[in-house]
Amino acid sequence: MAISESSIILDFPDGNYFRFQDCNGYKAIQNHFKEMDACWFDQSVNILYIIELKDWTIANLTDRQYSDKRIWDLVKKSVDSVCMFMSILLGKPHSASIQFCSPFSISATTKIKLLSIVNCKNSDITYISAINTEYKSRFNAYAKLFDIDSFLVLTKEKACQRFNWIL
């Protein structure tokens, strides 16, 4: 079953995925807590993809105030989502209710890759690149702390070129 949101389709090759938004363990703590849209575990290479989907086709992408809010939102979602998985790895009491939603288990050796995929107009590609640069700057300390080597904001077009399960 594919996930469709923000005019982006994720069609994973297997059933090793879930959505925090459908998880009672997440719902019990979601007050001021954010989540990314999908989590897929590629068991063959031990990589957990945590994915955010955005549709900014009608947004005013040149307004600096909204840019800061968008970047903060992406960072917050990334940190909160990674923290939920880290709580599972640490075996904390509430994490069992989140792990229950997941059809897979990760380990301390699992690599994490964060993807924020943006559906936007072709004229906004430079803006998305700037958002990616700022997101990477703000998330970098967390990435070092959790040994995350891949975290980026990219356009739907670029994502479709890099991953055959993104449509």
Side-chain angles (χ1 to χ4, degrees), residues 78-134:
S78 297
V79 170
D80 291 357
S81 294
V82 168
C83 284
M84 284 187 272
F85 278 106
M86 292 307 155
S87 75
I88 291 169
L89 286 176
L90 292 171
K92 297 303 178 184
H94 187 78
S95 69
S97 62
I98 296 170
Q99 176 63 63
F100 180 78
C101 301
S102 172
F104 57 82
S105 294
I106 62 170
S107 70
T109 61
T110 299
K111 287 290 185 189
I112 296 174
K113 296 188 182 285
L114 299 169
L115 304 175
S116 295
I117 304 166
V118 180
N119 185 27
C120 63
K121 296 177 269 190
N122 285 341
S123 60
D124 294 327
I125 292 172
T126 302
Y127 174 80
I128 301 305
S129 178
I131 291 287
N132 180 53
T133 300
E134 188 61 28

Side-chain angles (χ1 to χ4, degrees), residues 1 18-27 35 37 101:
M1 183 173 100
F18 78 101
R19 302 184 79 175
F20 286 120
Q21 74 178 27
D22 299 331
C23 180
N24 287 333
Y26 165 71
K27 290 176 185 178
E35 44 72 40
D37 294 313
C101 301

Side-chain angles (χ1 to χ4, degrees), residues 10-163:
L10 303 176
D11 190 14
F12 301 117
D14 57 37
N16 276 340
Y17 67 91
F18 78 101
R19 302 184 79 175
F20 286 120
Q21 74 178 27
D22 299 331
C23 180
N24 287 333
Y26 165 71
K27 290 176 185 178
I29 60 171
Q30 79 180 79
N31 189 27
H32 299 290
F33 210 68
K34 299 224 176 227
E35 44 72 40
M36 293 177 79
D37 294 313
C39 306
W40 175 58
F41 181 55
D42 186 345
Q43 192 169 8
S44 67
V45 289
N46 198 24
I47 295 175
L48 172 64
Y49 290 91
I50 308 175
I51 306 156
E52 176 65 12
L53 306 171
K54 293 289 189 189
D55 186 354
W56 291 348
T57 54
I58 60 170
N60 177 6
L61 299 185
T62 59
D63 188 325
R64 179 69 185 167
Q65 175 186 353
Y66 290 114
S67 293
D68 286 342
K69 182 188 177 320
R70 284 185 188 96
I71 295 163
W72 167 246
D73 187 53
L74 293 175
V75 170
K76 173 82 169 129
K77 286 173 174 260
S78 297
V79 170
D80 291 357
S81 294
V82 168
C83 284
M84 284 187 272
F85 278 106
M86 292 307 155
S87 75
I88 291 169
L89 286 176
L90 292 171
K92 297 303 178 184
H94 187 78
S95 69
S97 62
I98 296 170
Q99 176 63 63
F100 180 78
C101 301
S102 172
F104 57 82
S105 294
I106 62 170
S107 70
T109 61
T110 299
K111 287 290 185 189
I112 296 174
K113 296 188 182 285
L114 299 169
L115 304 175
S116 295
I117 304 166
V118 180
N119 185 27
C120 63
K121 296 177 269 190
N122 285 341
S123 60
D124 294 327
I125 292 172
T126 302
Y127 174 80
I128 301 305
S129 178
I131 291 287
N132 180 53
T133 300
E134 188 61 28
Y135 165 76
K136 289 177 85 65
S137 172
R138 294 184 193 188
F139 188 75
N140 192 48
Y142 301 103
K144 285 181 182 178
L145 188 64
F146 295 121
D147 192 27
I148 299 171
D149 63 359
S150 183
F151 52 104
L152 62 144
V153 180
L154 67 166
T155 65
K156 175 184 173 182
E157 180 181 333
K158 286 284 185 200
C160 290
Q161 291 170 1
R162 291 176 83 168
F163 303 98

